[in-house]
Every structure is written in structure tokens, then in C-alpha cells.
Amino acid sequence: DADFQPDADFLRRTVPVLQADPSVALVQARWRFVNADECILTRIQEMSLDYHFSVEQEVGSACHGFFGFNGTAGVWRVQALADAGGWKDRTTVEDMDLAVRASMRGWRFVYAGDVQVRNELPSSFKAYRYQQHRWSCGPANLMRKMFWEIVASRQVSAWKKVHVLYGFFFVRKVVAHLVTFLFYCVVIPAYVLVGGQDVRLPKYVAMYVPAIITLLNAVCTPRSWHLLVFWILFENVMSMHRSKATIIGLVEASRANEWVVTEKLGSVTSSTPAATTTMATNKGATKKKKSQSSILAPEIVMGLCLLYCAVYDIVFGHDHFYVYLLMQSAAAFVIGFGYVGSQ
């Protein structure tokens, strides 16, 4: 991709892996973020993507299982591309589509975590929302279109088919988004409103298990542990958008094939005179644009609902869920009024 900057020895470190093993179709390198310290939004993205590369991709490669192609920072074997049927534009995740088809043909992938490619994270919330819509909607839509194709594949074992359909698609690309939104933004607020002697939400379900999972996810980025609470609250708000996008992909609704290029600042993040001039020239236009598009109704409605539940819990509750609800409503308001990301 245009915003990726591989080192001069990138091919010398990746192509030999393809030469050494004819069964390997892809060598995937790791992303390294040049603007991770730009704002809290980029720090949060770094935490999520560090877990993805350090755990999901690393484990998939080490266990000789399936892991997805990240769309860039990788090298493909031309023979594998042809054998899998080449690139297809039937979904917005053509990179994942290709990886699944190649895997179902029996090809293996290798993750080279020691090879890092510099790239840039989206630093505006608008760009991040569009990116996450594509990353959530595309896999769900791809699962819908490839389900029977995967089931009918004869080149791989039944266990690998189960892993791809259940572990990779259903759990990680569908259930993860829906469960996060339904539990933190629907079940807990609903429990506050209807909770009593007959309805109880165990603390280990509401607090301990999610806390352990979150800590395990954050262990890959120790320098950002102090942002853990912000990460949780932000991800809960984003789960609303990801759940909506997932459902759109599953039912193939009108936005299923929506493609919006993720805006990156590029040289604006540097301290060059040209970047300074560009920022000064566009300052007035940016302010006008922000005033028109910074207010996001879904997040504000979500914040109001959670705030109502928090106040109700303060007056009538007994489990102190209002502490979480107040923080989560505040996060929804902060995002809803456009105070996230670079301005």
C-alpha cells in the first residue's frame, strides 16, 4: 500500500522462505507504526494490532494453521495466486478472500514477525470508522459467500475447515463483535433496569472474566497499559459500529460493498516546511468541515441511554454498575461530539 515503507532488504529476508519450501504461498511481515504516538486513537489502534500480530498471526503460523493475509507487507508465490483463482472483487476484503481460497487449496502461510514494515495508522475518527466498517463487514460477507465453497473443499482436512469457518470467521469475525456490544451496551444496562432478587448478573461474568481477557490482550503493548481503561471504553463504543457492519455483511445489505479509502495524513505528520504550509492553508477549511460533521448521533444516543441507566442504578441499584455506566456514557459522548483523534 502507498503508506507502507519496507526496508531495502525486505525481499532478501522474505523471498528465501518461498524458495526453501515449495508448499509456502505467502510470507507475511509485521506492521510497525510510525505515528503510534500521534494521539490516543493511534495508541489504542496500536494495542489492538499488536495483539493481532503478536498472537493471532504468530500462533497461526507456528501451528501451521490458517491466518489471514493482511493485504500488504507480504510476498506471494505467483503459482499460488494462479492456483487459487487470482484476485477477486466480490467483497471489500479481497486479500482475505485470496488467502482463504489459497488455504483451501492446501497452500501454507508463514508469518515473519522479525521483518517489520513501517506504515501509518488512521489518526482521524472518521477515517477509522470507515476502515472498521470495511474490516468488519467484509469478513462477514466473505463467510456468507464462501461457506459452501469451504465445506466442499477436498484438498484440506475437515479439522481445517472447522477452524476456518468456526474459529476464524464465526468466532473472531462475527461473534466477537456482537457479544461485546450486546454484553457491555445492552445486557448490563438492561440488568440495571430490571435487576432484582430474581435476576442476578454474577460478578465473575460481568467483571473478572472480561478483565482477564482484556489484560491478556494488552500484554503485547506494555507501554500503553496506563491507557487500558480508555481502550476498553473506546472498543465498547466501536463494537456498536462493528456489530452493525457485521450484520450488513451477513445479510448483504446496501453498504456491504461500500469502499471508502482510509485517509492518512502522510507527510503532514512530519515537521517539514511543506507539511506546515499545508496544515496552515487548510486550517480554515478543516474547522468548517469539523463543525459540520463532528457530531455523531448514534454515539450520543448511546451515551444518553447509558447515562439514564447509570442514574437509575444510583437511585435504585445495589451492584454499583453505575461506575462503569457513567464512564462508558462519558466515552460515548466524547466520541459523539468529535473529540477523538487528531483535529
Side-chain angles (χ1 to χ4, degrees):
D1 287 350
D3 58 316
F4 277 70
Q5 307 165 36
D7 292 332
D9 62 347
F10 175 74
L11 293 178
R12 294 183 183 276
R13 300 177 66 186
T14 53
V15 172
V17 179
L18 299 175
Q19 295 175 322
D21 189 344
S23 67
V24 174
L26 163 70
V27 179
Q28 174 69 60
R30 179 171 181 151
W31 298 1
R32 181 160 61 89
F33 314 109
V34 298
N35 66 329
D37 293 327
E38 185 174 342
C39 58
I40 292 183
L41 176 61
T42 54
R43 291 287 290 271
I44 288 174
Q45 293 178 68
E46 181 191 36
M47 295 174 72
S48 300
L49 290 171
D50 275 351
Y51 173 80
H52 167 69
F53 283 105
S54 299
V55 177
E56 295 176 344
Q57 302 294 75
E58 189 72 58
V59 170
S61 177
C63 297
H64 301 286
F66 172 77
F67 65 89
F69 173 43
N70 292 113
T72 184
V75 180
W76 275 89
R77 186 186 299 274
V78 175
Q79 181 185 351
L81 289 172
D83 185 47
W87 293 93
K88 295 184 179 180
D89 59 357
R90 56 181 173 177
T91 69
T92 57
V93 285
E94 73 288 346
D95 47 1
M96 185 181 297
D97 186 354
L98 174 61
V100 173
R101 284 186 280 113
S103 179
M104 291 300 103
R105 296 287 295 175
W107 291 96
R108 292 198 310 109
F109 305 155
V110 172
Y111 172 64
D114 59 325
V115 182
Q116 300 185 2
V117 179
R118 299 182 303 278
N119 73 100
E120 183 182 349
L121 294 165
S123 55
S124 72
F125 185 66
K126 180 181 178 181
Y128 183 68
R129 277 184 65 185
Y130 279 124
Q131 181 198 69
Q132 292 302 298
H133 173 84
R134 185 172 71 250
W135 286 7
S136 301
C137 177
N141 189 233
L142 181 62
M143 184 182 74
R144 168 194 171 104
K145 292 183 175 181
M146 289 201 67
F147 182 86
W148 292 113
E149 185 178 340
I150 295 173
V151 171
S153 175
R154 296 183 178 181
Q155 280 81 13
V156 297
S157 65
W159 170 248
K160 189 166 187 176
K161 297 178 187 177
V162 171
H163 169 68
V164 173
L165 286 174
Y166 180 77
F168 180 77
F169 276 118
F170 184 67
V171 173
R172 287 168 50 190
K173 305 301 181 183
V174 177
V175 172
H177 304 320
L178 297 177
V179 168
T180 300
F181 173 67
L182 291 175
F183 182 74
Y184 288 106
C185 303
V186 177
V187 172
I188 292 181
Y191 168 75
V192 167
L193 298 179
V194 304
Q197 298 299 324
D198 297 331
V199 180
R200 301 295 298 172
L201 183 60
K203 288 186 177 180
Y204 75 88
V205 174
M207 297 174 56
Y208 304 143
V209 173
I212 293 173
I213 294 175
T214 302
L215 289 173
L216 291 175
N217 289 351
V219 73
C220 300
T221 316
R223 78 186 192 96
S224 297
W225 283 351
H226 63 289
L227 299 175
L228 197 59
V229 173
F230 296 102
W231 183 37
I232 295 171
L233 298 176
F234 178 81
E235 289 295 307
N236 288 345
V237 176
M238 283 304 302
S239 68
M240 174 177 62
H241 297 291
R242 294 185 180 119
S243 297
K244 176 184 175 182
T246 299
I247 294 173
I248 289 175
L250 287 174
V251 302
E252 205 164 17
S254 58
R255 293 185 62 195
N257 294 314
E258 179 184 79
W259 178 276
V260 178
V261 176
T262 304
E263 293 181 352
K264 305 288 181 67
L265 296 181
S267 61
V268 176
T269 58
S270 68
S271 58
T272 60
T276 305
T277 303
T278 303
M279 292 179 68
T281 304
N282 296 328
K283 188 176 181 181
T286 302
K287 286 185 177 180
K288 292 180 180 179
K289 185 177 180 181
K290 182 182 185 302
S291 63
Q292 296 174 356
S293 62
S294 60
I295 297 179
L296 304 172
E299 284 84 352
I300 294 175
V301 172
M302 177 183 180
L304 290 172
C305 293
L306 294 174
L307 180 60
Y308 172 80
C309 294
V311 174
Y312 187 93
D313 190 51
I314 292 174
V315 178
F316 301 105
H318 47 77
D319 287 326
H320 302 93
F321 279 116
Y322 67 84
V323 177
Y324 156 72
L325 293 171
L326 285 174
M327 291 192 297
Q328 190 64 70
S329 65
F333 285 131
V334 168
I335 296 174
F337 286 105
Y339 290 101
V340 168
S342 298
Q343 305 298 339

